Every structure is written in C-alpha cells, then in structure tokens.
Amino acid sequence: MLKLHNRIIRILLAFPRRFFPKSQTLNLRYEEDNDLYFKLVQNAPVGLFQTTPKGQIISVNPAILKMLKYDSLEDLLKRDLSNGGYVDEDKRAEFKQILEEKGEVINFQSEWYTKDGEIIYVREGAHAVRDNSGIIYRYDGYVENITDLILTQKELVKAKIEAEKSNKLKSAFLTNISHEIRTPMNSILGFSYLLEDSMLIKESQLKYIAVIRKSGERMLNTLNELIQISRIETGCIDIRITEVNISEKMKELYNSFKKETEEKHLRFSYENNIQEKENIIHSDEEKLSVILFNLISNAIQYTNQGSIKFGCDTKNEEIEFYVIDTGIGISSVNQEFVFSCFQRVETGKEFIIEGTGLGLTIAKEYVEMLGGMIRVKSVEGEGSEFHFTLPAKYDKKSFQSNHLSGSSAKIE
C-alpha cells in the first residue's frame, strides 16, 4: 500500500504542464490533460509543493494550506522553509543533503511548525529538478501529516511498557504472596509437630504456641489484605456509617500495638487534641480502623529505633489523623509510588520486611472512599509522616468528588 501511495505521488510530481507539445493538432488534448493534472493536484489528500533549494516556496496545493493552518497561498508564500519551518533545523539540512546527493528523497520523517506554533509530525519526499547544466533549481515534493499515526504508535509503545511493567510487578507480588503464605504455614506445621513431643517442658510449649499464634495472625492478615484489595478493585465495598468515638479508637489502637513496640524497644505514644464534645464523628469505623492499623503497622515495620507517635486534631471542619515515625524514611523517588498497588519500597539488606506491601494502597483507597485526603512527608534516613483528613460527618458528595477528580494522595 505504501509503495502504491509513493508511486501515485511520483506521478503527480512528474506530470508537468508541458507534457504535450503545443501544436495545433494536439492543443485541445494538451489543455484537457493540463486541466486534469491541475484538478489532481488541487484535490490531492497529501500536500504537494515546489520550493527553491534555499527554501523559498514557489507553489503549493490546498492540502498544505490546511495542514499548516494558513488562510491563503499568499500568506504561506511569505514563509521561508530554511528558517523556522522545521522544529529541528538539522532535519532540513539532512533532507537537502540527501536530495543533492541522490536527487530524490522518499518517506523522510520530520516535525514542522504550523502557523500557530503547533508541532506536527510529517512524512515528506521530494525530487530535485536540474537545469541543462545539472544545477538544481527547484524541489518538487510532497508532505503528509502523520501526527495521529505517530501519537498512536507512541501510545501503543507506552501501553506495551506499562503492561510489561504491570506483569513484572504482579509476578513479583505473587512471589511475595506465596512467601507470605508458605512461611507462616511452615512455622505452624513445624511447631505443631514439635508440640506432639510429650517430653516438652511447659516453657517450650508456651513458646511454640506463641510462634504458631503469631504465624496464624500473619497469614490471616495476608488473606485479609488480599480480600480487601480484591473488593476495592471490583468495587464491591460497602460503606457503613456509624458514630465513632475517636478517644476510644485511639486507646484501642495504642493497646493493640503497645506490646509489639515494646519488643522492638521503641517509644510509642498517642495524642488526642480533639475537644471532648467533638470526639464523636460519623464515619465507617471498620475502615477507619484499617487505615490507622495499616499506617501504624507500616511505621513499626520500618522503624528499628527511636519513636512512633500517632494522633488526631481538628483542621477546619475536618479531623486530621497522623502517624509519625523515626524510621528509615522514604526517598523522593519512592514517594511517587508509595501508595501504588504491587509496589514496595526498597529498604536495603539490613531490613527484612514482612507483609504483602498492600497496606498503604488499601489505606489510601479507604481514605478516598470516606471523602478524605492522604499525604506523605518523609526524609530518607530521618523518618516519615503520614497525614490524612476525614470529614467529621461523612458526605457522599465528597466521596464522589474524590473519585471523579482522580487520586487524592499528595507528596511533600
């Protein structure tokens, strides 16, 4: 198809008006074919042009006027292709060099400016016309706007890269999930076998039972996160609005994580800066618990020394929750995808992190569902701060607005 296209263009370019000799006998035939040629040029879907070797335009057909967004031929004739017509002036020099050396250029791709400064992708070709002494005095050429084709190709390449990246991330994710299920399961089975030994002292029995319980909790958490992210992806999430007592929720979370932070020798505290009369909000208690649970768990995982603090405060007509740690922090590069699904922050060899890596993704999705916004502020090597806001009273319009406007996660 492309070869046929080029052949038609060559015919148009090589069909001069003086093709037939001007004699009385053939004069009528000459005028008829001249008129046919003129109509073919005028109605051609591709741009046809004649220029001097220096770039001065001699003539063009209407397709070029439309392509370059000029109102008239007179307006376009003022344009000098040797200065400012090409986005990359080196392309103009390369095009001219090929013409001078080979006498012809076919399917040369470049970028042109339109009258209003818009950049378009074009495919062009030309034939060098020489005088009797062999000197080039004119270029007869064609140009075709291939902007849509190039942009489509770029989108396809981008989609291919994204698909390959997604597949790699999912493969890594599935490998991690396999590890998160097999590891605790092996612990449960292994220590269960050891408990069958009737000679075990009670202290060893209690130790093995604790390992089994911890492994079971780890596997249950993995399954819960898989179920949660699956429901989020399929849109099968119900929002149940009830009265939530912030003060009681803070105490509950503190007691849940106190032992774990003590085992890591971390200073763990919480603060509630909300006035007593404002401690009751209307939201989804289960989702609020999951958000705070995931953020605190994340802080404990990535903090080996120092402190972790969580709390809440009033901000305008919203409640702002926060979790602050003195952990390893997050680099500016990693902050860009810290809330993304199937992604995990690289931590280095000194850290062995358990979990699916879905906690922050789930937290972000739940914050948006409840009409809020989440943000992260972190310095690598110093620690991280996660803040999120929720309306004191759930508003369905806020939830719809968040999802229509896209992501509500911010990086500082």
Side-chain angles (χ1 to χ4, degrees):
M1 181 62 74
L2 185 59
K3 289 182 178 179
L4 178 62
H5 173 79
N6 292 333
R7 189 176 178 186
I8 292 172
I9 290 173
R10 286 184 185 180
I11 292 172
L12 288 172
L13 295 175
F15 201 151
R17 289 176 180 271
R18 58 180 183 278
F19 186 81
F20 294 100
K22 290 185 179 181
S23 64
Q24 293 293 330
T25 308
L26 297 176
N27 188 52
L28 181 60
R29 176 73 181 276
Y30 170 81
E31 291 180 357
E32 288 177 352
D33 282 274
N34 224 9
D35 185 56
L36 175 62
Y37 170 75
F38 179 75
K39 288 180 180 178
L40 284 172
V41 171
Q42 290 295 102
N43 297 314
V46 295
L48 301 174
F49 63 86
Q50 291 180 322
T51 69
T52 65
K54 291 183 178 181
Q56 187 64 42
I57 296 172
I58 299 172
S59 65
V60 297
N61 70 339
I64 284 191
L65 294 176
K66 183 179 179 181
M67 185 187 307
L68 299 179
K69 300 181 180 179
Y70 280 86
D71 298 324
S72 66
L73 177 61
E74 290 73 21
D75 194 16
L76 179 60
L77 288 175
K78 300 174 184 176
R79 179 171 180 169
D80 184 358
L81 290 179
S82 65
N83 183 23
Y86 285 77
V87 175
D88 182 357
E89 289 300 329
D90 290 339
K91 281 285 187 179
R92 161 71 181 169
E94 182 183 350
F95 184 82
K96 185 177 178 181
Q97 182 180 354
I98 296 172
L99 263 178
E100 291 175 351
E101 292 177 356
K102 298 184 178 181
E104 187 178 46
V105 179
I106 299 175
N107 296 330
F108 185 87
Q109 290 191 17
S110 57
E111 298 171 35
W112 284 15
Y113 285 116
T114 63
K115 182 182 179 180
D116 57 11
E118 180 188 353
I119 296 175
I120 60 172
Y121 296 90
V122 300
R123 179 165 53 209
E124 55 181 320
H127 174 73
V129 181
R130 301 176 185 271
D131 59 20
N132 294 332
S133 60
I135 297 174
I136 299 173
Y137 69 92
R138 191 181 77 224
Y139 297 153
D140 291 347
Y142 70 90
V143 59
E144 181 182 7
N145 189 342
I146 58 170
T147 302
D148 290 341
L149 175 63
I150 295 297
L151 294 180
T152 300
Q153 289 175 345
K154 288 185 175 183
E155 286 298 320
L156 288 173
V157 170
K158 182 180 177 182
K160 181 176 180 289
I161 293 172
E162 289 294 327
E164 290 174 349
K165 182 180 178 182
S166 179
N167 285 335
K168 288 180 181 178
L169 290 172
K170 287 179 180 179
S171 296
F173 173 74
L174 290 174
T175 301
N176 185 45
I177 289 299
S178 176
H179 170 78
E180 285 300 312
I181 292 176
R182 285 184 301 178
T183 301
M185 181 59 74
N186 287 335
S187 296
I188 292 170
L189 292 174
F191 284 98
S192 296
Y193 293 142
L194 291 174
L195 284 173
E196 292 177 352
D197 186 355
S198 58
M199 302 299 291
L200 276 176
I201 60 175
K202 188 172 182 179
E203 184 180 348
S204 295
Q205 287 179 341
L206 292 175
K207 182 179 178 181
Y208 295 165
I209 290 170
V211 172
I212 291 172
R213 182 184 296 112
K214 186 175 181 180
S215 297
E217 290 172 352
R218 178 179 172 183
M219 192 158 61
L220 180 62
N221 185 60
T222 297
L223 295 174
N224 283 336
E225 288 190 343
L226 287 173
I227 292 170
Q228 287 169 5
I229 200 67
S230 176
R231 287 179 175 174
I232 289 170
E233 292 291 326
T234 56
C236 299
I237 294 287
D238 294 325
I239 297 176
R240 296 182 176 87
I241 303 302
T242 59
E243 287 188 351
V244 182
N245 189 310
I246 298 298
S247 180
E248 291 182 1
K249 183 60 60 180
M250 294 289 106
K251 292 177 183 178
E252 177 188 319
L253 287 163
Y254 176 77
N255 291 328
S256 297
F257 289 102
K258 184 178 180 183
K259 184 178 179 181
E260 189 175 352
T261 53
E262 287 176 348
E263 289 174 353
K264 293 189 72 173
H265 306 290
L266 299 173
R267 296 187 302 276
F268 186 53
S269 62
Y270 78 95
E271 52 191 16
N272 181 3
N273 298 316
I274 300 176
Q275 295 182 10
E276 186 174 350
K277 63 180 181 180
E278 297 176 339
N279 260 287
I280 304 298
I281 65 171
H282 292 81
S283 192
D284 189 313
E285 184 173 2
E286 180 185 350
K287 290 177 179 57
L288 176 58
S289 297
V290 170
I291 296 165
L292 288 167
F293 183 92
N294 288 357
L295 292 178
I296 297 172
S297 293
N298 189 73
I300 294 172
Q301 282 186 319
Y302 290 93
T303 305
N304 269 353
Q305 59 182 2
S307 64
I308 296 173
K309 178 176 69 176
F310 71 100
C312 57
D313 203 347
T314 54
K315 186 177 182 180
N316 299 325
E317 297 181 357
E318 296 180 317
I319 306 297
E320 181 178 58
F321 297 88
Y322 51 86
V323 177
I324 303 172
D325 66 64
T326 58
I328 62 173
I330 310 168
S331 68
S332 57
V333 174
N334 284 330
Q335 285 179 43
E336 295 180 7
F337 59 80
V338 72
F339 294 106
S340 300
C341 200
F342 307 124
Q343 300 259 25
R344 294 195 70 165
V345 174
E346 294 295 330
T347 61
K349 294 180 180 179
E350 69 276 12
F351 271 81
I352 299 176
I353 303 300
E354 297 178 354
T356 61
L358 292 173
L360 293 181
T361 304
I362 293 169
K364 171 182 170 292
E365 292 293 333
Y366 280 1
V367 167
E368 292 180 358
M369 287 181 185
L370 297 179
M373 178 179 289
I374 190 168
R375 59 189 172 91
V376 58
K377 180 180 180 182
S378 183
V379 177
E380 191 172 13
E382 297 183 12
S384 304
E385 296 183 19
F386 286 86
H387 296 252
F388 70 93
T389 56
L390 291 181
K393 187 174 183 179
Y394 174 76
D395 183 3
K396 191 174 182 180
K397 291 181 179 179
S398 296
F399 161 65
Q400 292 173 336
S401 175
N402 271 359
H403 277 257
L404 287 172
S405 60
S407 173
S408 62
K410 286 190 175 182
I411 300 168
E412 294 187 354

